[in-house]
Amino acid sequence: MESLFSAFGFFTTGMGILLTLAIGGLIIWFWDWRLSLAGLFIIQVSVATFGVRVHGVSTQWAIAHILIMLLCVLILALSNAQTSASRSMHQPGNWLFRLLAIVIVFLGWRFVNIEVALPAFPANQVRYLISLMLFALLMLSLGDNPHFTTVA
C-alpha cells in the first residue's frame, strides 16, 4: 500500500501542489461535468497523498478515502449520463467571467493577506488548503447546479 502513495509522491512537491490548484481552477474555468469529475478525483488523490507523505496519515485511511471518492465520482457520472441537459447544467457566464472570478478571488485573498493559524500545519500548507477551499466556495457561488454543488 505504501508503494501506491510513493508513486503519487509528485503531488507533495511544489509542482504537484501547483498542478492540483491548476486543476481546481480549470474545473471552474471550463465548467464541464466530465472534467469536473476527473479533476475532483485527481484533487482528492493529491490530498490523500499529501496526508500520507507529509502528515503521516495511515495508508488504510487514505485508501478508503480514495475508494470512497472513486465511488462518488462513478455515482455522479452515472447520474449525469442518465439525465438530460437542463438549464442548470449550462455554464454560469462565459469563460472570461469565470476566469475573472478566479483572479479576483485569489487577488483579493492575497491582498487582504488573511492568515489562518492551524495547529500542526506550516503556513504554506495552510495556504494550500485555503486555496482549495476558495475553489470550492467559488464553485458554490457561481452555479445552481446540484452536480457542481456536490463536486464543490
Side-chain angles (χ1 to χ4, degrees):
M1 293 296 184
E2 197 69 37
S3 63
L4 174 69
F5 289 104
S6 63
F8 293 131
F10 168 74
F11 288 118
T12 60
T13 65
M15 288 302 293
I17 290 172
L18 288 176
L19 176 68
T20 303
L21 295 176
I23 289 171
L26 289 175
I27 291 172
I28 296 171
W29 191 16
F30 288 116
W31 205 267
D32 180 58
W33 68 270
R34 291 172 285 282
L35 179 65
S36 70
L37 292 178
L40 172 66
F41 186 71
I42 292 170
I43 288 171
Q44 294 301 322
V45 167
S46 171
V47 169
T49 303
F50 194 78
V52 168
R53 301 276 310 242
V54 175
H55 292 287
V57 174
S58 170
T59 56
Q60 288 82 12
W61 281 105
I63 293 290
H65 173 83
I66 290 173
L67 291 176
I68 289 170
M69 285 312 301
L70 181 63
L71 182 63
C72 291
V73 164
L74 291 175
I75 289 171
L76 283 171
L78 286 173
S79 173
N80 282 328
Q82 292 178 351
T83 59
S84 62
S86 64
R87 159 91 176 76
S88 65
M89 286 299 282
H90 295 289
Q91 298 174 342
N94 60 12
W95 65 269
L96 183 60
F97 171 75
R98 292 187 303 278
L99 180 63
L100 286 175
I102 293 169
V103 170
I104 287 171
V105 165
F106 278 94
L107 283 179
W109 173 53
R110 295 309 302 163
F111 284 138
V112 173
N113 199 16
I114 297 173
E115 294 295 330
V116 179
L118 295 176
F121 285 97
N124 59 349
Q125 293 174 9
V126 171
R127 284 192 295 273
Y128 169 63
L129 296 172
I130 288 175
S131 300
L132 291 176
M133 179 206 60
L134 286 174
F135 281 131
L137 289 175
L138 193 57
M139 285 181 69
L140 287 172
S141 65
L142 283 178
D144 59 350
N145 181 350
H147 168 80
F148 285 98
T149 302
T150 305
V151 169

